[in-house]
Amino acid sequence: MFKKILIANRGEIAVRIIRACHEMGIQTVAVYSEVDKTALHTQMADEAICIGPAKSKDSYLNMQNILSATVLTGAEAIHPGFGFLSENSKFAQMCEECNIKFIGPDSQNIDNMGNKLKAREIMIKAGVPVVPGSEGAIDSEEDAISSAQKIGYPVMIKASAGGGGRGIRVVTKEEDLINAFNTAKTESKTAFGDDTMYMEKFIEEPRHIEFQILADEHGNVIHLGERDCSIQRRNQKVIEEAPGVAMTEELRKQMGEVAVIAAKSIKYKNAGTIEFLLDKYGKYYFMEMNTRIQVEHPITEMITGVDLVKAQIMIASGQVLPYKQKDIKIQGHAIECRINAENPSKNFMPCPGEIKSLHLPGGNGVRIDSAAYQGYKIPPTYDSMIGKLIVHGKDRQEALCKMRRALGEFIIEGVDTNIDFQFKIVNNKNFINGNFDTSFISKEFKNI
Ligand code: ADP
Ligand code: ADP
Ligand code: MG
């Protein structure tokens, strides 16, 4: 087992990883940017090294500085968390070359799955159902028009390098196509430095169902059930729950097996997520694979009892997966609300600033993953997520009651948050009845 791990991330996920390391008796090294000198992850780790100015590209994306910090502190492995360098195959490869263990899949795995177009091709070959769409990249406006005609409107234009809901446009009629194609292309170039685009059939009123995978370095692959992440705003997740309300034991078995086949087809290693769309008729389609730990991983931990971050570390150290598929039992129901510093009435504009007062909910079945503390100044530079509120109940009904109760206890003063908005969602009749799909927020909350 590793003696020392460097965490190449910030915020709640860095704290989450440090906690797992400390429970495992592993020393931790935090890296931080100049604005994160007093951030919780910087303070909680055994050692902390400044890796550059606030801007991500100069610090949390600065591969040279992060590798130097690793060598300097004698850390043997790097945990990349999510976002930042977590899905950067070049970084994973540089780690491999420096003999530093990247806690995640190998660079080849990331290469294969990070590019959504390539991932589609690989999945088609493996016999995994994918969303119907263009055969390859869409290079020109003419190509876009003819592909859309072939696929049939509505279509979705997607960036091959995309992530976090960016570089995506839905088009319902031909006259809107060229404009949407060009704006999505520009957005992708700006966000990901790549403007390879492709097109999919727009699946109407689907649920977003994703399967958590764990794969060791000896060929063993299991799934840990699904998460329903249909509550989204602009293709970004807002609430996630596990298990999914629309799932049956039979469907879980089928989709889980497909997810395992998908992971095995690329000899995938470590934790990963296979995202599917489940349509109104019960048909499911592979959408993408995330080759990293996900924001919403705690809900799977709550219902399976498996610590996914510890599992990642154990796998990376070469251990054999200590669970077989039959050992994974789903117990109860978990829900996660992402708590963001943003103002829902101002089009969800991020609201950085000082947290003047903070009271976190607690009690039986309530978990908070956050890097916030009273007096902490949220910098404007990074993601606006300040924490995650996760609850676990014996069934969905109890989990919902706990979530309402916990959101009610939550107090954050000094910055605007989406807590009231989350409260409205968990009190919405259609949400309570499990009657929702990915269009839920846009339909139910038209005026915000
Ligand atoms: P999930 O919530 O399923 O883990 P998201 O797509 O919401 O995945 O991404 C998680 C985090 O990673 C978010 O903070 C998001 O902004 C960031 N992220 C996702 N993809 C990329 C990418 N390609 N480049 C940079 N950041 C990304
Ligand atoms: P990202 O990498 O940004 O997470 P995804 O490919 O996972 O991109 O898509 C993000 C979200 O967009 C999905 O969770 C889903 O709600 C929606 N989406 C993606 N593809 C389709 C599609 N073909 N039809 C309908 N909705 C889609
Ligand atoms: Mg996705």
Side-chain angles (χ1 to χ4, degrees), residues 116 131 156 158 162-166 168 200-203 206 208 232 235 275 277 287-288 438:
K116 293 189 188 187
V131 184
M156 198 171 217
K158 293 175 82 168
R166 281 166 301 169
I168 291 179
E200 283 179 357
K201 176 84 190 159
F202 178 66
I203 307 291
H208 172 121
Q232 304 182 351
N235 304 315
E275 296 190 338
L277 287 175
M287 190 163 45
E288 66 157 339
T438 57

Side-chain angles (χ1 to χ4, degrees), residues 334-346:
I335 305 175
E336 172 183 279
C337 285
R338 297 192 187 197
I339 308 299
N340 299 330
E342 62 187 14
N343 188 332
S345 61
K346 287 189 189 149

Side-chain angles (χ1 to χ4, degrees), residues 87-319:
E87 294 185 274
N88 187 312
S89 62
K90 190 174 159 218
F91 182 64
Q93 198 185 341
M94 284 167 82
C95 290
E96 284 157 22
E97 282 161 8
C98 297
N99 232 344
I100 295 164
K101 186 68 183 182
F102 178 85
I103 302 178
D106 60 38
S107 55
Q108 183 74 43
N109 289 159
I110 302 177
D111 251 346
N112 283 332
M113 286 299 165
N115 177 320
K116 293 189 188 187
L117 205 48
K118 199 159 154 192
R120 272 173 70 83
E121 282 163 19
I122 295 172
M123 288 303 120
I124 292 169
K125 278 205 194 104
V128 172
V130 303
V131 184
S134 59
E135 260 158 44
I138 297 199
D139 300 321
S140 64
E141 295 180 353
E142 296 75 51
D143 205 2
I145 294 171
S146 66
S147 286
Q149 276 167 358
K150 234 190 265 165
I151 296 166
Y153 289 92
V155 296
M156 198 171 217
I157 298 168
K158 293 175 82 168
S160 183
R166 281 166 301 169
I168 291 179
R169 291 289 181 286
V170 181
V171 183
T172 53
K173 49 188 192 307
E174 190 167 302
E175 62 199 84
D176 301 334
L177 183 67
I178 297 306
N179 189 26
F181 175 67
N182 288 322
T183 52
K185 210 172 156 70
T186 310
E187 186 175 306
S188 178
K189 184 83 195 169
T190 318
F192 312 111
D194 179 306
D195 62 359
T196 311
M197 307 304 290
Y198 69 107
M199 202 181 277
E200 283 179 357
K201 176 84 190 159
F202 178 66
I203 307 291
E204 293 186 65
E205 302 173 356
R207 285 178 191 261
H208 172 121
I209 303 289
E210 56 181 41
F211 274 75
Q212 177 68 52
I213 291 292
L214 279 180
D216 67 17
E217 302 191 344
H218 312 277
N220 303 302
V221 186
I222 60 166
H223 73 82
L224 291 97
E226 79 284 356
R227 298 184 282 258
D228 185 326
C229 312
S230 302
I231 307 299
Q232 304 182 351
R233 194 185 146 262
R234 299 200 174 158
N235 304 315
Q236 284 179 24
K237 298 161 188 167
V238 176
I239 294 184
E240 304 93 349
E241 63 180 296
V245 257
M247 297 295 287
T248 59
E249 200 47 60
E250 178 51 32
L251 191 55
R252 176 171 306 119
K253 191 161 175 285
Q254 257 185 48
M255 291 178 76
E257 276 166 16
V258 170
V260 168
I261 289 171
K264 280 190 172 161
S265 76
I266 55 158
K267 296 195 166 50
Y268 190 78
K269 292 167 208 80
N270 217 284
T273 298
I274 315 274
E275 296 190 338
F276 295 98
L277 287 175
L278 176 65
D279 75 11
K280 297 185 258 200
Y281 313 103
K283 273 189 84 170
Y284 55 88
Y285 309 90
F286 168 84
M287 190 163 45
E288 66 157 339
M289 178 168 194
N290 291 322
T291 56
R292 54 171 162 87
I293 193 78
Q294 276 189 279
V295 174
E296 58 275 20
H297 76 275
I299 54 174
T300 299
E301 299 185 321
M302 302 302 268
I303 61 160
T304 60
V306 174
D307 186 312
L308 290 167
V309 174
K310 285 186 188 168
Q312 284 193 294
I313 295 170
M314 278 158 51
I315 289 168
S317 77
Q319 293 185 20

Side-chain angles (χ1 to χ4, degrees), residues 358-400:
L358 179 69
H359 175 78
L360 297 175
N364 188 4
V366 175
R367 166 174 170 182
I368 299 270
D369 277 23
S370 174
Y373 58 84
Q374 201 155 303
Y376 173 61
K377 283 197 189 72
I378 304 164
T381 330
Y382 312 104
D383 206 271
S384 59
M385 189 174 77
I386 43 178
K388 304 177 306 204
L389 170 58
I390 305 121
V391 298
H392 184 221
K394 67 178 190 306
D395 52 22
R396 188 168 190 266
Q397 167 73 19
E398 191 183 63
L400 273 171

